[in-house]
Amino acid sequence: MKNKRKYTWLDIGIIVLLFVLVFAADRFLPSYDIKAKVLQKGAVFALIAVSMNLLNGFTGLFSLGQAGFMLLGAYTYAIFTIPVADRVSVYKYYTTTAADGTTLGGLVQFTLPVFVAILLAGAVAALFAFLIGLPVLRLKSDYLAIATLGFAEILRALCQWKGLGVLTNGSNQLRMYPTFKGIMPYFLVSAVCIAIIALLIHSTYGRAFKAIRDDEVAAEAMGINLTKHKMISFVTSSFFAGIGGALFAMYQNTIQAKPFTTTLTYEILLIVVIGGIGSLSGSVIASFLYIACSEWWMRFLDTDGVIPGVTRNGFRLVVFSAVIMVIVLFFRRGIMGDKEFSTARIARFAASHKKNKKEAAK
């Protein structure tokens, strides 16, 4: 009991130390610095990957609609936070004239506070998830994946449709909305959301999700309402994906539907697989490693002349793909598997390794 308490305090100490380091980076790194950008995007992708892991890893529902829910969150945040005075400039192709002759840009003519808009972004994504989930969650495995993937693609096409231009600005960018400055706000919002997901997973609902993942027939026999719990998982995952989309819109500074393709969903799924399906800490660790590798550590490979006749623009993507293949081959269950990071686990692993070494020496 004493050792358990000691390791709990060590875990808390590590988390505090990480936030101290992030605070220091926030103070001393310029906003345009590549390291600051990696930390910001890593925090955003960590939240989105954890939200996807809640559905795919802990509930066993194979959904590929994450990009669609991110798009809903991003557009909701941008639409409701653009200052009224700037809407004519943003919606310059979709202006209307008021009764007094004033030119109005777009349909929405009011502005919400930033954090209210972030919550609304999650709520809109959750609402769509509920409506889509009613028919879609009756499907299983690949059929569910195809249905959610189709939903995301339809949503992306609708956002670029001229008929909705007064709301979404058609295929044009939404811009001039408020964004977070520095690194710390991204970390704080992501950390709070991930903590809420962790609490949910360790609750009775979380145990029901895992039971459904392991065996639906046995779970139903135990009295678990499959439809209800699948819907809760799907809506919750989408809510936090919507918040992640709002953070992604802030990170990008401008937003349009083009980046929210199936490739983005596959990218998030890849992070989940690398981190470990069924591990929250694995998803967080993999997010930062993935973003750092793809956008910072390997950037030098895009420079001509590093390896004459070999390195050139885009070469880092080739190397990065090879690295991912190696990770998937040698870490079949991901970095963390279905375990969570803790100092107690590291201590047990070290003790076990030391014991095996002694036995081998005998």
Side-chain angles (χ1 to χ4, degrees):
M1 184 67 181
K2 188 177 180 181
N3 283 339
K4 187 177 180 181
R5 191 177 299 148
K6 180 181 77 172
Y7 290 125
T8 300
W9 280 110
L10 281 172
D11 291 336
I12 293 171
I14 289 171
I15 293 170
V16 171
L17 177 62
L18 286 174
F19 272 93
V20 169
L21 292 174
V22 170
F23 178 76
D26 193 32
R27 288 290 302 273
F28 298 110
L29 285 178
S31 59
Y32 56 82
D33 190 280
I34 184 64
K35 293 182 282 296
K37 292 294 183 184
V38 165
L39 289 171
Q40 288 173 345
K41 192 172 182 180
V44 174
F45 271 52
L47 171 57
I48 299 166
V50 166
S51 72
M52 190 175 199
N53 209 346
L54 170 64
L55 190 62
N56 290 31
F58 288 94
T59 316
L61 298 175
F62 189 37
S63 169
L64 292 176
Q66 215 71 358
F69 297 118
M70 285 176 66
L71 182 149
L72 284 170
Y75 266 77
T76 300
Y77 174 79
I79 288 167
F80 287 98
T81 55
I82 297 172
V84 175
D86 297 324
R87 288 184 182 272
V88 174
S89 174
V90 174
Y91 289 89
K92 58 184 178 181
Y93 299 110
Y94 300 98
T95 57
T96 56
T97 305
D100 59 357
T102 306
T103 302
L104 304 175
L107 182 64
V108 178
Q109 291 300 312
F110 61 89
T111 304
L112 294 176
V114 168
F115 284 101
V116 173
I118 290 174
L119 290 174
L120 181 62
V124 169
L127 175 62
F128 272 79
F130 176 77
L131 296 174
I132 295 298
L134 290 173
V136 162
L137 291 179
R138 300 176 186 273
L139 304 173
K140 293 183 180 180
S141 189
D142 299 342
Y143 300 102
L144 175 61
I146 293 167
T148 51
L149 187 64
F151 157 72
E153 285 300 301
I154 291 169
L155 200 60
R156 189 165 66 91
L158 283 173
C159 284
Q160 297 178 89
W161 179 42
K162 289 183 178 180
L164 290 176
V166 291
L167 188 64
T168 65
N169 207 21
S171 59
N172 306 300
Q173 292 180 337
L174 290 173
R175 53 194 175 84
M176 301 178 78
Y177 49 80
T179 60
F180 285 146
K181 305 300 179 185
I183 304 165
M184 185 58 78
Y186 291 94
F187 267 78
L188 288 175
V189 174
S190 292
V192 169
C193 292
I194 291 170
I196 293 170
I197 293 173
L199 290 173
L200 176 65
I201 287 170
H202 288 90
S203 70
T204 53
Y205 287 102
R207 289 191 285 274
F209 296 159
K210 293 174 187 176
I212 293 170
R213 174 194 64 189
D214 295 337
D215 192 326
E216 286 192 11
V217 175
E220 191 170 26
M222 292 168 61
I224 295 172
N225 187 324
L226 298 184
T227 304
K228 173 187 171 184
H229 285 85
K230 283 182 180 181
M231 183 63 80
I232 290 172
S233 178
F234 191 53
V235 169
T236 304
S237 172
S238 304
F239 175 80
F240 289 109
I243 290 179
L247 294 179
F248 188 66
M250 292 188 191
Y251 171 79
Q252 294 278 82
N253 285 317
T254 61
I255 208 72
Q256 60 182 146
K258 279 185 180 179
F260 296 93
T261 60
T262 53
T263 304
L264 180 58
T265 296
Y266 294 146
E267 199 172 4
I268 302 300
L269 180 61
L270 181 60
I271 290 171
V272 172
V273 172
I274 291 172
I277 296 177
S279 172
L280 296 184
S281 53
S283 293
V284 173
I285 293 167
S287 297
F288 286 99
L289 290 177
Y290 182 89
I291 299 301
C293 280
S294 62
E295 301 194 9
W296 177 23
W297 294 339
M298 294 186 176
R299 190 172 286 273
F300 72 96
L301 293 172
D302 283 352
T303 307
D304 294 334
V306 173
I307 304 176
V310 178
T311 55
R312 64 195 68 188
N313 188 34
F315 185 70
R316 68 187 164 98
L317 297 177
V318 177
V319 177
F320 185 54
S321 299
V323 170
I324 290 171
M325 288 176 64
V326 170
I327 292 172
V328 171
L329 284 172
F330 289 96
F331 293 89
R332 298 284 179 91
R333 300 184 65 195
I335 296 170
M336 296 296 296
D338 59 353
K339 310 298 182 184
E340 299 295 347
F341 175 85
S342 71
T343 50
R345 189 176 300 281
I346 293 171
R348 285 197 298 270
F349 175 79
S352 176
H353 180 71
K354 188 176 180 181
K355 182 180 178 183
N356 292 338
K357 199 172 181 182
K358 283 183 178 179
E359 288 176 355
K362 290 178 182 179

